[in-house]
Amino acid sequence: MELRFYNSFSRQIEAFAPLEEGRVRMYHCGPTVYKRPHIGNYRAFLFADLLRRLFDLEGYQVTQVMNLTDVGHLVDDADDGEDKLLAEARRAKLDPWKIVEQVSAQFFADLDALGVRPAHHYPKATDHIPEMVRLVELLVDSGHAYRVGDNYYFDVHAFAAYGRLSGNRIAELESGARLEVNEEKRHPADFALWKSDPNHLMKWETALGPHGFPGWHIECSAMSMKYLGDSFDIHTGGEDNVFPHHECEIAQSECATGKPFVRLWMHTKFLQVDGGKMSKSLGNVYTLDDLIERGFSPWDFRFLVLRGHYRTQLNFTWEALRGAAEARRSLLDWRGRLQAAERNGHGQGQAEVRQAGAAFDRALEDDLNTSEAVAAIFQLRNHFMHHGLSQQAAVAAMQLLARADEILGLFEMTADGAAPGLADAEVETLIAERNLARQEKDWARADQLRDQLHAAGIVLEDKFDGVRWHRGE
Ligand code: AMP
Ligand code: ZN
């Protein structure tokens, strides 16, 4: 495939060219582990998984890193104010380390339930204090950062490209009302690299001083460069990460190493709920459990998210989730029918399958247009439902569906990698047993076998010339 992606930095679609041929190194801003991530966060993380799956299938050697922010992310993404984790610890009357442990475990369980492939590294900020201290030292030594008491700030005027990613100009930032006045800073737009507070619950004694803790941005610079090198291919996050988080990461990293930091910046548009921002007061900050309680599979949510293009608005409603669940089930049903058609298909359809495959790939090549890619699959399904497919075309359609499943993750798998339920041979055996029971007029046994097959998602169709079956409803 000839992949092209929208680069938030250049604001253009660019042909994908990794720094090293055949290799992709990518970093994703992960959760702040102060409470269980909500479904909006999972839009960002599912996008990371989509990239991962695509590169895997394309044969790249992938190194994927997603961090866990367990200190330093202050309320409102600000420089001053309360640490999100410590605020939660106080509210819940729990040890912050305990919260990190619980929420991290919950996060990994959620990723698993969503069928996300594990990244190669999930570094935690608090495990990388020395790397952060080193970066701050480099920045002070090179004149890009300054110390006031035991606090360290980055001097935004020392980096000419500051503001390139977000389009913010320093002058406008500094005249804007959004920046609170902090007497310590040389310029209002400077940002904290490292802070000190004897009352902080999570603090470290380092070469930078006692009672220190990192700023949120320096964490991602330190962890990404540790696992991926000073320059790497892709950095992702939700759209709110563009500023200040990623803008500051670029400034710190490039000033510390003197090298370009990231080639390709990709940002996921926010998931909205009921047409607006999720909010506690509206009671619509949903977690995966809220979905499961209403009878949905996390895979239905996965499908809802991934059949939308990552840069377009996506609005979560229960109605939309129901639609996604039904659509996913109809694909599962189609897979069953295709399996049957591989054995006894009629019709033609080779050209349609080829066209669908080409349209699927073209859509993904075009900045991961999963919405059009999924539409191509459904178009082929429609053709099949009206005109059938020859055995050969059904085999090819199954291959396309399997490819779509690899990239998008459509069908849930059991732990051993098999589709849940019965294997084909087991189905055939049960059907043969049922035929025998019917010949012997053992109707109770025959019905029992039909029910057993039905419970495993196998649909039987009694025809004059025998029994046909497919997976579905
Ligand atoms: P946080 O836990 O706040 O650090 O966020 C983790 C990731 O989720 C970041 O990349 C955010 O940009 C992203 N994120 C937060 N809210 C949403 C949302 N509603 N839709 C999509 N991504 C989000
Ligand atoms: Zn980050």
Side-chain angles (χ1 to χ4, degrees):
M1 278 206 256
E2 290 183 16
L3 299 169
R4 295 182 304 281
F5 298 122
Y6 180 81
N7 189 342
S8 316
F9 191 82
S10 65
R11 295 177 177 75
Q12 275 173 1
I13 303 257
E14 297 173 353
F16 178 64
L19 287 163
E20 194 183 319
E21 211 182 305
R23 285 211 60 169
V24 179
R25 298 177 175 89
M26 55 181 179
Y27 183 87
H28 316 287
C29 283
T32 304
V33 284
Y34 70 115
K35 66 174 171 229
R36 183 178 180 177
H38 52 60
I39 56 173
N41 299 125
Y42 286 114
R43 183 181 196 192
F45 306 149
L46 283 168
F47 173 66
D49 188 52
L50 174 66
L51 282 172
R52 162 70 183 280
R53 285 166 170 264
L54 186 69
F55 288 129
D56 275 353
L57 197 69
E58 285 291 285
Y60 286 90
Q61 192 189 336
V62 183
T63 311
Q64 185 182 32
V65 182
M66 180 178 282
N67 74 294
L68 305 185
T69 300
D70 57 354
V71 68
H73 192 173
L74 307 188
V75 174
D76 294 332
D77 295 358
D79 252 8
D80 292 300
E82 208 169 6
D83 187 309
K84 288 189 180 191
L85 207 107
L86 300 185
E88 179 62 18
R90 198 162 39 72
R91 196 197 61 75
K93 298 196 173 55
L94 278 173
D95 175 32
W97 298 100
K98 191 80 207 157
I99 294 179
V100 169
E101 195 187 308
Q102 284 171 354
V103 173
S104 305
Q106 186 74 73
F107 168 63
F108 289 124
D110 280 353
L111 289 185
D112 196 43
L114 282 166
V116 169
R117 288 197 186 151
H120 304 91
H121 304 277
Y122 287 102
K124 255 178 20 197
T126 53
D127 289 337
H128 296 79
I129 298 295
E131 287 83 352
M132 297 172 205
V133 169
R134 180 83 199 115
L135 274 183
V136 177
E137 287 174 337
L138 279 173
L139 290 168
V140 172
D141 290 349
S142 60
H144 295 96
Y146 56 95
R147 174 179 191 167
V148 184
D150 286 330
N151 296 332
Y152 293 76
Y153 296 97
F154 186 91
D155 177 354
V156 294
H157 290 271
F159 181 54
Y162 190 81
R164 280 272 298 278
L165 173 70
S166 61
N168 285 322
R169 290 168 193 277
I170 295 177
E172 282 162 20
L173 285 174
E174 301 204 323
S175 64
R178 277 202 59 207
L179 294 171
E180 317 107 60
V181 184
N182 174 333
E183 298 295 328
E184 286 193 351
K185 293 182 187 177
R186 284 189 199 157
H187 319 287
D190 291 351
F191 59 89
L193 296 166
W194 186 265
K195 298 190 75 172
S196 165
D197 179 354
N199 298 319
H200 218 250
L201 281 174
M202 294 166 115
K203 57 185 181 223
W204 290 264
E205 171 140 14
T206 70
L208 300 176
H211 325 300
F213 62 96
W216 173 38
H217 318 311
I218 199 79
E219 300 176 359
C220 281
S221 288
M223 291 185 275
S224 61
M225 293 197 290
K226 168 161 180 180
Y227 294 95
L228 299 172
D230 293 348
S231 302
F232 57 92
D233 299 299
I234 304 179
H235 195 317
T236 76
E239 57 179 337
D240 64 325
N241 286 160
V242 171
F243 189 86
H245 190 48
H246 292 164
E247 190 74 70
C248 297
E249 272 188 57
I250 296 173
Q252 301 159 160
S253 308
E254 300 204 344
C255 291
T257 66
K259 295 181 201 151
F261 179 43
V262 168
R263 274 237 167 151
L264 173 61
W265 288 92
M266 301 181 88
H267 293 98
T268 319
K269 226 180 168 79
F270 260 29
L271 178 79
Q272 295 203 321
V273 174
D274 305 325
K277 222 180 140 164
M278 266 178 275
S279 81
K280 268 195 222 142
S281 58
L282 292 173
N284 62 5
V285 184
Y286 299 126
T287 67
L288 284 190
D289 277 354
D290 296 317
L291 276 47
I292 293 166
E293 260 167 39
R294 295 228 195 173
F296 293 100
S297 155
W299 287 69
D300 296 331
F301 176 70
R302 177 184 178 95
F303 189 59
L304 173 71
V305 167
L306 288 184
R307 76 172 174 173
H309 184 227
Y310 75 99
R311 280 196 298 121
T312 57
Q313 196 81 263
L314 178 60
N315 184 27
F316 177 90
T317 59
W318 292 108
E319 199 51 44
L321 184 60
R322 208 164 298 125
E326 270 162 29
R328 200 173 74 89
R329 257 197 303 283
S330 71
L331 283 183
L332 195 63
D333 172 77
W334 183 41
R335 186 171 68 168
R337 289 172 192 267
L338 275 178
Q339 261 167 2
E342 284 180 327
R343 293 187 300 269
N344 55 20
H346 326 268
Q348 315 262 320
Q350 298 267 40
E352 280 77 7
V353 178
R354 250 197 322 276
Q355 273 165 18
F360 181 82
D361 279 13
R362 258 201 320 274
L364 288 178
E365 284 176 339
D366 181 17
D367 191 32
L368 290 166
N369 194 333
T370 50
S371 158
E372 279 184 18
V374 169
I377 299 288
F378 272 95
Q379 209 173 348
L380 182 60
R381 177 181 175 276
N382 260 345
H383 175 86
F384 171 89
M385 299 307 266
H386 288 107
H387 308 286
L389 286 177
S390 68
Q391 290 188 8
Q392 216 179 353
V395 170
M398 272 298 268
Q399 283 166 352
L400 174 58
L401 194 56
R403 178 173 170 76
D405 183 30
E406 273 287 302
I407 297 174
L408 298 167
L410 303 170
F411 309 122
E412 204 166 344
M413 294 286 161
T414 55
D416 58 6
L422 302 169
D424 284 8
E426 292 169 307
V427 174
E428 305 278 0
T429 309
L430 288 170
I431 289 177
E433 252 184 71
R434 176 169 171 269
N435 289 341
L436 199 68
R438 279 160 42 121
Q439 274 168 26
E440 291 169 354
K441 301 203 172 1
D442 183 353
W443 307 118
R445 174 76 184 137
D447 283 350
Q448 186 204 344
L449 285 160
R450 173 183 271 270
D451 290 347
Q452 184 181 345
L453 284 158
H454 184 77
I458 307 297
V459 181
L460 301 184
E461 289 174 63
D462 291 315
K463 303 271 181 184
F464 292 113
D465 56 350
V467 178
R468 303 235 184 93
W469 65 272
H470 67 263
R471 294 175 197 274
E473 303 211 308

